[in-house]
Amino acid sequence: MKFLFALVALCFAAVTTAAQYQAHQLDANTLHIETDAGKLSLQFYQNDVVEAFYQPEGVKQLPSFSISQQAQALALNLTEAADSLTLSSASLRVKIDKAPLRLSYYRGDKLLLAEQQGYFREDGQHGFRFALSKDEKLLGGGQRVLGMDRRGHKFPLYNKAHYGYSTQSSQMYFSLPAVMSSNKYLLLFDNSAKGEADLGATSADMMQFSAEGGRSSYVVVAGDTYPALINNYTALTGRQPLPARWTLGNYASRFGYRSEAEARSVVQKFRDLKLPLDALVLDLYWFGPDIKGHMGNLAWDKTAFPTPENMLADLSAAGVNTILVTEPFVLTSSKRWQEAVDAGAIAPGLDGKPKTFDFYFGNTGLIDVFKPEAQQWFWQIYKGLAEQGVAGVWGDLGEPEVHPDDSVHAIGMANEVHNAFGHQWADMVYSGMRRDFPEQRPFIMMRAGAPGSQRFGMVPWTGDVERSWGGLKPQVELALSMGLFGFGYIHSDLGGFAGGEQFDKELYIRWLQYGVFQPVYRPHAQEHIAPEMVFHDSHTIETLRPWLNLRYQLLPYNYTLAYQNSLTGMPLMRPLFLAKDNFADETNHTLMDEKNSYLWGDAFLVAPVTEPGVNTWPVQLPGGVWFDYFSGQRYQGTDKVAVPVTLNTIPVLVKAGSFVPMAELVQSTRDYSSKKLTLHYYADASIDCAKGEMYEDDGKTPDAIAKGEFELLKFYYLKQDGEQKIELRRSGDYAGKPDSRELTLVVHNQSATPKHISVDGRYIQLVPQHARFNRMQNVAWYDKASRQLKVKLDWQVDKTQISVR
């Protein structure tokens, strides 16, 4: 193996000088350039995206795992000067210096990015170097705990587990060779091999991506705004399919449930305590009685789980979806080892024999997910489980956690394909689900992947975080850094996973309060301290009950965020600099550094409490007007403010001008209905007009958006000449759509008792008592103490207007 890498290093060292231009040819949307060292292709895509693909002589090229969009013909303009070429689309311009060959990217007259040296090969590495501007900030790089701005850091591009991390980590489970710049470009190094990113660490004015093999390509994405960058990037790499509605519910999860009886009893405990639950996650005990020696069995341990099909059916009938852990390792001691070997599923070593090695769980081989025969063998196991009623797949250890350098995969050596392993695994599961179970929205939770993995419905999490305040602190940073690059469902093991010898009640409460405003609500931990709230004292349960209930009441709002993510790539958790309606000044780059305060959709500003014993907590405001969700306190501006908190509250602010739809509480999303809908509107004197939306479908039909099987509810607010008008519109249809809705409109911060209220021109009575309001229909009530106006109506027509004077 050392001899093989020595040959590669000699090959790389052979060419260290910059290439020189020789000739060019424009073919549709691609410019092909011949150089003295190989070929360069510049390919333009829709949405302000261009790929630079270098093909040096003698360098093996792997396929692109990242790019999913098919290039379409564009109107390009090519001009030539003595020392350069310029290729332009309607919005992007690339200048190609001929000697040495060097590319510079412009949007209009603004220089976005320029190669410093461009493509290089040296010291066994190849990659690209770019120039950095003086005050440029760089976000991205995947899971790291380094602060939001990663400029000045150098870190590995190699997916690797970091067990028990807390407040610092430069290498974790899910690396991304991509950055978003404050100069409004996004750069993707399209390479799946073991490598390194140097973001101004070695030289302050230079950014470098390199790898010891793989593809010699990078992609530049441009846009007028940061949301446009995300939209354009995810148009290229793929967007997250709309998940099933139950994905947004509560999960019972631990390491792990040891028997069918225990699994059933946990679900029953949630039901007995009337705490909502939608999913049960079974860790590795479903296929073996203890931790070591059984990985790869991938079949029910019938001693512990004697009637799995009945259990799955009963849980499903109770509105609970079962998710099973699986791993890409097959132990030599497992029941399927010889079956996997005979199927050609195990990646070989240099000798051509199945490669075996030791790791924590035993002596093992690794499934070669890049090999069609291995995929077929692996998929048949998943198919059988899905036929039994398993609702979701959990892919663990998929970095892979242990990946010997001399493992030979179908398309390359271990280090060449390492970072694409989880990606290919997710592709295999997703493709199989769509093909063999076309009526089901796949659920695929995985620990590692690559750029573009989101298009396979991947639900990643932040790994084995330490169960400590230090473990809680970086969770927002990790989620925001991943969400910018398409991974809208990144989440943490709520409560923390690793260690912690004694139960820290305050830490647990704070983590689960934060979880209400993260994409997936999944407490998970090592079992010596229960991760499920049902096993804690009544005070802990009753402190958290309203938070879990709020999670379910917010289903219309949260599901709309999922819909928006599937269309635009906009994450559910958003950095403050993505605030809409010009509240966030995109030239104020200080907001890019904020790693605790964040946006949940457009309406909410959340700041998790990550220290014990506090009675106030700092919140960074992004501009505009915000109201404390609990107290109604009004905040305005771009300062950092101290928000009062108790053990029952964390800072949750709602933006003035926001519409927040909420539904009635249910114990499972199976029973979800928007037939009774509460629509909150947050009024303020500074807001003259506003709008919002709500997406509804049956919660389970795949491709519901593409099929047109959905309803879109639109909300509009207009204040004019002392009159407030709120218009409600709805359009679209789907099976099970309510014919009408009992709608309760709640206008917050209503400054005075209205004199006249009408709905579609019909007078609405304003009653003096809340009890009468509750009993009657088509009625209004004003609460002076809370300054809330409530209007209840039967919403039947496609367009309704409420007028308040």
Side-chain angles (χ1 to χ4, degrees):
M1 185 59 192
K2 291 181 179 179
F3 177 69
L4 175 65
F5 278 114
L7 285 177
V8 173
L10 286 172
C11 177
F12 280 1
V15 181
T16 58
T17 57
Q20 311 292 309
Y21 166 85
Q22 290 185 336
H24 70 268
Q25 178 184 357
L26 182 60
D27 176 18
N29 62 330
T30 305
L31 178 65
H32 303 279
I33 299 175
E34 298 285 339
T35 78
D36 55 4
K39 299 177 181 179
L40 164 65
S41 297
L42 275 178
Q43 183 163 300
F44 276 70
Y45 293 86
Q46 300 285 346
N47 302 96
D48 291 354
V49 176
V50 62
E51 176 192 17
F53 180 26
Y54 287 78
Q55 301 172 69
E57 296 291 343
V59 176
K60 172 187 173 185
Q61 296 293 328
L62 291 180
S64 172
F65 294 99
S66 305
I67 297 175
S68 66
Q69 183 187 85
Q70 295 296 314
Q72 301 176 21
L74 291 172
L76 300 179
N77 182 50
L78 178 65
T79 60
E80 183 172 8
D83 60 352
S84 67
L85 298 168
T86 300
L87 183 63
S88 304
S89 68
S91 54
L92 275 181
R93 175 164 54 94
V94 184
K95 181 184 177 186
I96 305 111
D97 294 327
K98 292 182 176 180
L101 195 71
R102 193 175 80 104
L103 308 182
S104 301
Y105 298 86
Y106 296 82
R107 197 167 195 277
D109 294 327
K110 179 185 177 182
L111 175 64
L112 297 176
L113 177 70
E115 294 180 346
Q116 191 179 71
Q117 177 181 335
Y119 178 74
F120 69 87
R121 285 191 285 165
E122 59 191 34
D123 300 327
Q125 302 282 316
H126 74 155
F128 301 91
R129 295 189 181 118
F130 306 89
L132 290 173
S133 59
K134 181 181 177 182
D135 297 319
E136 187 173 355
K137 292 181 180 292
L138 299 171
L139 282 65
Q143 290 180 2
R144 323 271 173 188
V145 186
L146 299 170
M148 289 296 292
D149 182 5
R150 272 76 193 269
R151 185 167 181 175
H153 292 280
K154 181 165 65 173
F155 45 75
L157 295 173
Y158 188 83
N159 295 347
K160 185 178 180 180
H162 185 168
Y163 177 82
Y165 71 90
S166 60
T167 57
Q168 196 282 331
S169 182
S170 61
Q171 184 177 22
M172 291 178 64
Y173 306 84
F174 203 134
S175 64
L176 291 174
V179 292
M180 177 186 286
S181 167
S182 57
N183 289 347
K184 290 197 180 70
Y185 69 82
L186 191 151
L187 177 68
L188 167 66
F189 178 43
D190 190 16
N191 187 297
S192 62
K194 181 179 182 180
E196 185 178 71
D198 186 336
L199 307 183
T202 302
S203 175
D205 63 351
M206 183 270 292
M207 170 171 57
Q208 174 178 299
F209 289 91
S210 60
E212 62 181 52
R215 188 174 176 84
S216 49
S217 166
Y218 68 86
V219 175
V220 176
V221 182
D224 287 331
T225 64
Y226 299 118
L229 282 181
I230 295 171
N231 180 76
N232 294 343
Y233 170 78
T234 56
L236 178 79
T237 59
R239 297 198 175 106
Q240 186 96 12
L242 185 65
R245 187 181 278 113
W246 67 261
T247 304
L248 300 173
N250 180 32
Y251 296 56
S253 182
R254 67 160 55 189
F255 180 38
Y257 302 118
R258 295 172 181 264
S259 68
E260 178 178 334
E262 183 180 14
R264 288 177 178 271
S265 68
V266 168
V267 172
Q268 189 59 49
K269 197 162 184 64
F270 274 91
R271 294 293 181 244
D272 291 344
L273 290 171
K274 291 185 169 46
L275 291 167
L277 184 68
D278 263 275
L280 177 77
V281 181
L282 295 181
D283 212 319
L284 47 77
Y285 298 115
W286 74 271
F287 54 69
D290 45 44
I291 293 176
K292 297 183 180 181
H294 309 287
M295 190 172 289
N297 284 350
L298 295 173
W300 294 97
D301 176 1
K302 290 296 186 70
T303 301
F305 294 85
T307 60
E309 292 90 349
N310 291 341
M311 180 190 72
L312 293 169
D314 291 345
L315 292 179
S316 179
V320 176
N321 299 273
T322 305
I323 302 163
L324 300 186
V325 74
T326 57
E327 302 88 359
F329 299 97
V330 181
L331 300 188
T332 56
S333 59
S334 76
K335 297 175 183 177
R336 288 192 190 265
W337 170 251
Q338 193 57 48
E339 176 189 326
V341 170
D342 293 343
I346 304 299
L350 294 173
D351 60 2
K353 299 178 181 179
K355 173 72 179 176
T356 59
F357 49 93
D358 293 327
F359 82 138
Y360 176 77
F361 297 95
N363 185 255
T364 191
L366 178 66
I367 299 171
D368 185 3
V369 296
F370 301 96
K371 184 179 180 182
E373 294 88 347
Q375 292 180 16
Q376 176 65 17
W377 177 82
F378 206 7
W379 168 247
Q380 289 305 312
I381 296 172
Y382 285 116
K383 182 180 179 182
L385 293 169
E387 288 171 343
Q388 290 180 328
V390 172
V393 169
W394 171 13
D396 202 6
L397 316 181
E399 296 78 25
E401 185 166 299
V402 182
H403 199 186
D405 292 351
D406 57 347
S407 298
V408 183
H409 292 277
I411 63 171
M413 297 298 296
N415 284 348
E416 290 181 295
V417 300
H418 175 83
N419 291 328
F421 188 95
H423 176 95
Q424 185 65 41
W425 185 12
D427 185 0
M428 181 201 80
V429 177
Y430 181 76
S431 299
M433 289 297 298
R434 293 306 311 268
R435 180 186 63 248
D436 294 340
F437 303 92
E439 301 305 312
Q440 184 174 335
R441 296 184 191 176
F443 177 92
I444 303 171
M445 186 172 74
M446 289 201 169
R447 202 168 76 173
S453 294
Q454 69 275 0
R455 66 180 179 264
F456 308 128
M458 183 182 284
V459 177
W461 81 101
T462 59
D464 296 338
V465 57
E466 183 179 84
R467 187 167 9 196
S468 68
W469 291 98
L472 173 58
K473 286 180 186 294
Q475 294 309 312
V476 171
E477 174 190 340
L478 288 165
L480 297 183
S481 297
M482 291 291 289
L484 290 171
F485 296 85
F487 294 96
Y489 293 86
I490 182 76
H491 66 284
S492 68
D493 287 344
L494 296 179
F497 175 81
E501 296 308 312
Q502 293 183 340
F503 177 56
D504 187 330
K505 179 175 177 175
E506 185 180 2
L507 170 66
Y508 180 79
I509 288 172
R510 292 306 194 197
W511 212 318
L512 269 66
Q513 287 170 335
Y514 154 61
V516 171
F517 300 97
Q518 75 164 16
V520 173
Y521 197 87
R522 188 181 58 86
H524 181 74
Q526 293 169 337
E527 62 187 342
H528 65 279
I529 300 175
E532 311 92 340
M533 66 177 73
V534 295
F535 293 111
H536 292 291
D537 62 274
S538 59
H539 180 261
T540 300
I541 292 172
E542 295 311 316
T543 301
L544 289 171
R545 181 187 297 276
W547 289 89
L548 182 56
N549 289 349
L550 176 61
R551 174 77 177 191
Y552 275 75
Q553 290 164 327
L554 281 172
L555 277 169
Y557 178 84
N558 294 346
Y559 197 52
T560 301
L561 298 187
Y563 158 75
Q564 293 167 349
N565 170 263
S566 70
L567 292 184
T568 68
M570 183 65 76
L572 287 72
M573 289 177 65
R574 304 170 185 174
L576 296 187
F577 67 88
L578 293 185
K580 288 183 66 175
D581 302 327
N582 298 318
F583 285 169
D585 179 1
E586 288 199 340
T587 65
N588 179 8
H589 295 159
T590 59
L591 289 178
M592 292 186 129
D593 294 317
E594 177 55 43
K595 61 180 182 179
N596 189 65
S597 304
Y598 68 95
L599 302 170
W600 178 247
D602 292 331
F604 290 97
L605 171 56
V606 182
V609 174
T610 61
E611 292 181 4
V614 301
N615 52 31
T616 65
W617 192 250
V619 179
Q620 175 63 58
L621 300 177
V625 175
W626 298 82
F627 295 98
D628 188 303
Y629 178 80
F630 301 100
S631 70
Q633 174 69 41
R634 185 179 186 271
Y635 298 93
Q636 184 174 7
T638 57
D639 294 334
K640 185 165 282 190
V641 296
V643 174
V645 296
T646 68
L647 185 62
N648 295 309
T649 65
I650 64 172
V652 177
L653 309 183
V654 189
K655 185 180 68 177
S658 292
F659 286 96
V660 179
M662 297 176 69
E664 288 198 310
L665 178 64
V666 291
Q667 295 300 299
S668 164
T669 59
R670 174 200 59 184
D671 301 321
Y672 169 84
S673 172
S674 64
K675 187 169 179 59
K676 287 189 176 182
L677 189 67
T678 301
L679 179 62
H680 295 266
Y681 176 71
Y682 287 80
D684 188 74
S686 64
I687 306 296
D688 291 329
C689 61
K691 62 181 178 179
E693 67 178 359
M694 174 180 153
Y695 173 86
E696 281 283 270
D697 62 18
D698 65 4
K700 59 186 180 181
T701 297
D703 304 313
I705 299 172
K707 294 174 181 175
E709 297 179 8
F710 66 92
E711 182 184 23
L712 202 58
L713 286 64
K714 294 280 191 177
F715 318 121
Y716 301 91
Y717 173 86
L718 178 65
K719 182 174 62 178
Q720 192 174 38
D721 299 328
E723 183 180 15
Q724 299 177 85
K725 293 181 180 179
I726 296 178
E727 188 168 285
L728 313 173
R729 300 180 187 177
R730 61 178 194 166
S731 60
D733 196 13
Y734 65 93
K737 185 187 82 169
D739 294 329
S740 64
R741 287 182 173 89
E742 181 184 299
L743 179 75
T744 300
L745 171 68
V746 182
V747 180
H748 295 256
N749 196 35
Q750 181 72 22
S751 57
T753 304
K755 297 178 180 177
H756 185 273
I757 302 172
S758 64
V759 175
D760 294 332
R762 299 187 305 274
Y763 171 74
I764 290 291
Q765 181 183 3
L766 184 69
V767 297
Q769 294 93 17
H770 193 213
R772 288 182 62 187
F773 173 81
N774 288 337
R775 290 196 306 268
M776 300 171 66
Q777 298 295 323
N778 297 312
V779 67
W781 176 65
Y782 180 64
D783 183 354
K784 293 181 181 179
S786 64
R787 293 166 48 123
Q788 291 182 9
L789 171 66
K790 295 185 178 181
V791 181
K792 186 163 55 176
L793 64 143
D794 186 21
W795 181 14
Q796 295 183 345
V797 296
D798 291 342
K799 180 179 176 181
T800 290
Q801 188 174 96
I802 303 166
S803 175
V804 180
R805 295 199 300 270

